[in-house]
Amino acid sequence: MQYKKSDFYYGLPEELIAQTPAEPRDSSRLLVYNRASGLTEHRIFKDITEYLHAGDVLVVNNTKVLPARLYAHTENGGAVEVLLLKRLNKDEWEVLVKPGKKCTAGKKLIISDELSLTVTGITDSGERIVKFAYKGVFEEIIERLGTMPLPPYIKTKLQDKDRYQTVYAKTDGSAAAPTAGLHFTPELLEKLRGAGVEIAEVLLHVGLGTFRPVKEDIITDHKMHSEYYEVSEKSAEIINKAKREGRRVIAVGTTSVRTLESVADENGFLKPCSGNTQIFIYPPYKFKCVDALITNFHLPESTLIMLVAALTGREQILSLYETAVKEKYRFFSFGDAMMVL
């Protein structure tokens, strides 16, 4: 069957788009859907301990969001906003610039006395390739001068930039947070470990393609963005052992799903590796590695709701979202969570 993007549309009142994160993190709400029984439950996120059991493997994405939004000016003084998307090598990046008209090849942009960039090229989709010049350590300068690149639907200023990072974030490189992980606290993770739940870390640097709308009417015509991933030897071992022993592999977030399903062979086993993935998961899709999913509520007609629909079925996900709207769950990056068992 050929799905249209309109097959994944649902109505959402604007007031249900969360503007601030829940405090504490694990006090957000949790909608639990059991595929085997068809039952739906309404819980609090910290109750997740009741649904995870000894032997389960929780797979988390340990990427760290860069304070990737920089404010620059041209040599003539014109203001330009620069958004870091993807590191290409030590000093070269793919970036988004706004306004873009004047940012032609060769154009220099100044961010501060210690940081500037020169446009070296333009991609087919309009992003700029730039080369940075700086005095000191690049990462430290970005940490100091950059601001968090919150999604466009969040209008409220973030008071604490750590709230747009997971508590297990390690490796700089994302332009957006893997938001399903924002609900976990160190105490909750410790409680799960104490109950015999294993935690395996993978890496996928989240690009802004995550927020790009599907423009094509037929979803298979959509070109998926590319994102860099890594699976370590240790994590591959933990997950492979669980698969051999028939234990559950539970992905935290669509980014963990995309990593696992990109790397897994037909039997769900992984090899340690790294690379770039453009995997696009939509119904019908046979999952090779992932048995269950913890995720947030995603934008209508987005590749993310299509991915979750591949696990639940299209009609079922729309029914669950309808329930979430009726029950006034909070949606998107700082919103509530859903668990699909």
Side-chain angles (χ1 to χ4, degrees), residues 49-93:
T49 52
E50 296 176 32
Y51 300 92
L52 296 170
H53 314 300
D56 285 342
V57 176
L58 203 59
V59 181
V60 301
N61 179 6
N62 66 13
T63 188
K64 195 172 183 183
V65 187
L66 281 165
R69 184 170 274 126
L70 298 162
Y71 296 98
H73 60 86
T74 64
E75 289 175 299
N76 300 331
V80 181
E81 191 178 301
V82 179
L83 196 58
L84 303 178
L85 295 181
K86 190 190 289 184
R87 192 175 209 152
L88 304 175
N89 56 48
K90 185 172 177 285
D91 297 332
E92 277 201 314
W93 283 76

Side-chain angles (χ1 to χ4, degrees), residues 6 14 25 42 50 58 60 78-79 95 103-104 117 152 156 181 183 225 251 283 292 299 317 332:
S6 56
E14 200 173 324
R25 290 173 183 259
H42 303 290
E50 296 176 32
L58 203 59
V60 301
V95 304
C103 295
T104 50
L117 62 89
T156 306
H183 306 281
H225 55 287
L299 278 77
I317 198 65
F332 307 162

Side-chain angles (χ1 to χ4, degrees), residues 117-170:
L117 62 89
T118 303
V119 178
T120 59
I122 302 175
T123 69
D124 293 343
S125 47
E127 287 86 6
R128 271 38 177 196
I129 308 300
V130 303
K131 185 162 188 174
F132 279 97
Y134 49 92
K135 299 170 190 166
V137 179
F138 181 77
E139 288 76 11
E140 289 175 5
I141 297 168
I142 294 297
E143 193 65 40
R144 212 168 46 247
L145 300 179
T147 61
M148 278 299 182
L150 292 180
Y153 48 74
I154 294 176
K155 316 288 186 200
T156 306
K157 192 175 187 310
L158 184 62
Q159 297 306 314
D160 174 6
K161 66 181 181 183
D162 282 347
R163 291 302 273 106
Y164 196 55
Q165 301 280 19
T166 62
V167 296
Y168 44 75
K170 279 183 190 163

Side-chain angles (χ1 to χ4, degrees), residues 1-52:
M1 162 156 190
Q2 275 206 322
Y3 282 115
K4 294 181 176 181
K5 71 171 181 179
S6 56
D7 291 328
F8 298 88
Y9 178 80
Y10 67 92
L12 180 70
E14 200 173 324
E15 66 267 20
L16 295 185
I17 300 172
Q19 294 298 312
T20 53
E23 198 55 63
R25 290 173 183 259
D26 58 3
S27 66
S28 51
R29 294 167 73 194
L30 177 70
L31 187 152
V32 183
Y33 171 62
N34 187 311
R35 288 176 292 160
S37 66
L39 285 177
T40 302
E41 295 178 81
H42 303 290
R43 306 296 296 266
I44 300 299
F45 193 82
K46 62 185 175 186
D47 299 337
I48 208 157
T49 52
E50 296 176 32
Y51 300 92
L52 296 170

